[in-house]
Amino acid sequence: MTSNAPAKCCTIGAKHEGTPAGEIKLIGETPAYFAYPESKSTKLSIFLFTDVIGCKNHGAQLIADQLAANGYFVVMPDLFHGDPVKLNPEPGFNLMKWLEGHPVSRVDPVVVEVIAAMKQIYGAEKIGAAGYCFGAKYVVRFLPSAITCAYVAHPSFVTPEELRAIKGPLSITACEIDEIFTVEKRHETEAILREVGVPYQINLFSQVEHGFTVRGNMGVRLNKWSKERAFCQMVEWFDEYLKRDNQQ
């Protein structure tokens, strides 16, 4: 694997301040958070794949809103059929048992349905993807086909075979304190990306933990700075490989 399986660090964190500006709508039977750019254009779109906390997490919704403010139509669906993990779950919560209820065979069909709706119903012409932790696996899985370019942060559960199959540009945010995307896994990922030959970027942030881009404590100055820089990394990547390519 190029990243290990999710662990306890995938479920703990701080709530972020702010009032989400988007809305929840259904795609078939799947709830999804929608955020629109000022222009209301849906041509340049981003599929946002959440961590296990899901699409109703305010931190994730605020990220979707910020992407929209940068000119992108953002769709962030519920990947878990109404069964996300609670932020900071009760002691004794068994994450691995929960994961057994959300295998690829259940998540992939949701992704396929949402991508089809983005194109056929909402008029998306190009789709980028952003994925956090659990969601990063599905970004990588669909980068060979339906997705133009992608960004992932502190990925988990990605296999070497999935990574070797990608066909588009990939940007990765990594953190120093991470038992899932470890130093060894990061170096393995870099080696595979060199073999694949697509444009790639790996930014490493020191002294921050797995989940910092979505659930980090914004009261800690370094966490806040790192989160903001990781967000800029993502926007700059999409601007280069989704927006700018569209203008050529």
Side-chain angles (χ1 to χ4, degrees), residues 70-208:
N70 280 273
Y72 296 99
F73 168 58
V74 184
V75 179
M76 181 173 64
D78 171 18
L79 302 174
F80 309 117
H81 300 85
D83 181 38
V85 174
K86 180 182 177 182
L87 183 64
N88 300 320
E90 299 295 328
F93 173 75
N94 188 330
L95 178 61
M96 298 311 295
K97 181 68 175 178
W98 178 88
L99 286 167
E100 291 176 4
H102 303 282
V104 166
S105 60
R106 290 196 76 198
V107 179
D108 269 2
V110 175
V111 178
V112 171
E113 180 183 34
V114 171
I115 289 174
M118 291 174 71
K119 292 180 176 179
Q120 298 168 15
I121 299 175
Y122 292 97
E125 295 181 356
K126 296 179 71 175
I127 299 176
Y132 295 85
C133 189
F134 178 98
K137 177 181 180 70
Y138 294 89
V139 168
V140 173
R141 284 179 62 79
F142 283 84
L143 189 51
S145 54
I147 294 169
T148 300
C149 61
Y151 164 88
V152 298
H154 31 80
S156 64
F157 252 178
V158 180
T159 68
E161 294 74 22
E162 289 168 338
L163 189 61
R164 286 192 177 95
I166 67 172
K167 303 296 183 185
L170 177 64
S171 179
I172 301 171
T173 287
C175 50
E176 180 183 9
I177 308 168
D178 196 337
E179 63 186 62
I180 298 171
F181 195 48
T182 61
V183 172
E184 294 77 16
K185 295 299 182 184
R186 192 169 70 244
H187 291 171
E188 180 185 5
T189 295
E190 184 178 349
I192 292 173
L193 289 171
R194 285 200 303 268
E195 294 173 10
V196 172
V198 298
Y200 73 90
Q201 172 189 40
I202 302 176
N203 284 6
L204 175 64
F205 290 85
S206 67
Q207 301 178 52
V208 290

Side-chain angles (χ1 to χ4, degrees), residues 16 51 57 59-60 62-63 66 131-133 151-154 173-175 205 208-218 223-224 226-231 233-234:
H16 293 162
D51 61 10
N57 175 22
L62 292 173
I63 290 173
Q66 288 175 304
Y132 295 85
C133 189
Y151 164 88
V152 298
H154 31 80
T173 287
C175 50
F205 290 85
V208 290
E209 299 180 342
H210 183 94
F212 78 96
T213 57
V214 185
R215 294 174 272 110
N217 182 353
M218 294 299 97
N223 287 354
K224 185 175 185 296
S226 299
K227 171 187 168 65
E228 291 171 350
R229 292 312 308 161
F231 180 80
Q233 173 189 341
M234 173 172 56

Side-chain angles (χ1 to χ4, degrees), residues 226-244:
S226 299
K227 171 187 168 65
E228 291 171 350
R229 292 312 308 161
F231 180 80
C232 289
Q233 173 189 341
M234 173 172 56
V235 170
E236 289 168 359
W237 193 256
F238 287 135
D239 284 353
E240 178 65 24
Y241 289 103
L242 197 65
K243 186 181 292 183
R244 186 169 299 174

